[in-house]
Amino acid sequence: MYKNKIKHIDIEETHIRLISDILYPNLEEYIKKIRFDLKKYIYEDPEFLSSLEPLNKRVNTSEIVRIMDKSSKIGNVGPMACVAGTISQMCLNQLIMKGSKLSSIENGGDIAIINNKKLVCGIYSNTIKNIGFKLKPRSKPLGICTSSSKIGHSISFGNSESVTIIGPEASICDGLATRIANDVNGESDEESMMNGLESAEKYKEYFDGGLITVGGLVGTIGKIPEIVTTEDFDIDY
């Protein structure tokens, strides 16, 4: 994915890097709308913002809130743990409805992508450099979401370098990456990895595959794309 094709969209806390076969996707107004819907709901129900656990209530409101609520319950995390992946997913769906066959939306490390040709998507951690996923062409959306206790501003109770979850819905992958990263914990890297893999096993019906890095260790679960070195590719993430 080439840097000179990337469009940056920055709206308050939302920081998107977009690659698309649609020349003028005009996502800014859509992002403002769904952010407004979310902020309006949070004003009415502040617990939606602060809770670190799913909320035991039926949500019948805007689409972004419904998706976040559903994903938080699947991943057993607070709704805001799913916000970045949800925005990526919703934006990608907008582009697909406009006819896109090749679009990637990365929002704070959480990616929603559809690709009708081969692509390489890089994975970043503090200790393991220059690796990525080689994605085969596909006609359906894919979520690739990463959580870390060492990188970014998200709350994590684990000690992983990174947990990347891959599946059909970026919103669910975002929540599960947080959930599993929280469980990557132990007195040693080996124990932390084992606990993380055991946690991922509990949720495997909701995603295709995952990759966990702890220290110098790498663990996988399920079916993941081919892992390649990114040194030979001009990629941005």
Side-chain angles (χ1 to χ4, degrees):
M1 294 186 175
Y2 299 93
K3 294 182 180 180
N4 61 0
K5 295 182 180 179
I6 293 175
K7 175 180 174 63
H8 293 264
I9 302 174
D10 297 304
I11 300 173
E12 298 180 56
E13 298 89 353
T14 299
H15 303 288
I16 282 177
R17 291 188 289 184
L18 166 69
I19 298 171
S20 181
D21 54 4
I22 296 178
L23 186 58
Y24 302 108
N26 296 324
L27 279 177
E28 287 87 348
E29 291 306 312
Y30 179 71
I31 295 169
K32 289 177 183 177
K33 176 189 179 302
I34 61 178
R35 283 185 56 87
F36 175 83
D37 291 342
L38 176 58
K39 289 191 288 186
K40 181 175 182 291
Y41 185 79
I42 288 172
Y43 178 79
E44 298 167 353
D45 184 1
E47 192 178 11
F48 196 83
L49 174 66
S50 60
S51 179
L52 299 180
E53 298 178 350
L55 299 178
N56 293 321
K57 61 182 73 174
R58 174 176 286 184
V59 175
N60 185 17
T61 180
S62 61
E63 183 180 12
I64 186 171
V65 173
R66 292 196 303 271
I67 294 172
M68 289 171 61
D69 179 68
K70 181 192 76 169
S71 298
S72 73
K73 289 172 179 173
I74 289 173
N76 194 28
V77 292
M80 292 303 292
C82 309
V83 64
T86 299
I87 290 175
S88 291
Q89 176 178 313
M90 294 178 70
C91 288
L92 179 65
N93 288 340
Q94 284 290 302
L95 297 181
I96 291 172
M97 286 191 293
K98 293 181 178 181
S100 177
K101 306 295 183 185
L102 175 62
S103 286
S104 171
I105 297 173
E106 186 260 337
N107 181 22
D110 298 309
I111 300 167
I113 190 168
I114 188 167
N115 56 298
N116 61 353
K117 65 179 182 179
K118 293 179 182 179
L119 294 176
V120 172
C121 176
I123 307 162
Y124 182 80
S125 76
N126 278 346
T127 58
I128 300 176
K129 308 293 185 182
N130 302 319
I131 65 170
F133 293 126
K134 187 176 182 180
L135 304 180
K136 296 179 180 179
R138 56 185 293 120
S139 59
K140 294 182 179 180
L142 185 69
I144 305 173
C145 296
T146 301
S147 182
S148 172
S149 67
K150 310 290 176 64
I151 304 169
H153 304 290
S154 299
I155 297 172
S156 179
F157 298 102
N159 60 3
S160 67
E161 300 294 336
S162 63
V163 173
T164 301
I165 298 299
I166 304 166
E169 296 186 48
S171 177
I172 293 174
C173 291
D174 191 5
L176 288 177
T178 299
R179 170 72 273 156
I180 295 164
N182 286 343
D183 295 335
V184 178
N185 225 323
E187 296 183 1
S188 66
D189 289 346
E190 290 78 9
E191 182 181 357
S192 296
M193 176 66 75
M194 184 62 65
N195 289 336
L197 292 173
E198 288 179 356
S199 174
E201 186 74 22
K202 299 175 185 176
Y203 301 97
K204 64 181 182 180
E205 67 182 286
Y206 298 108
F207 66 94
D208 298 332
L211 182 145
I212 300 173
T213 64
V214 185
L217 302 178
V218 178
T220 64
I221 186 169
K223 185 178 181 180
I224 64 173
E226 178 185 356
I227 298 176
V228 297
T229 177
T230 60
E231 291 179 321
D232 297 328
F233 297 89
D234 181 13
I235 66 171
D236 192 63
Y237 50 81

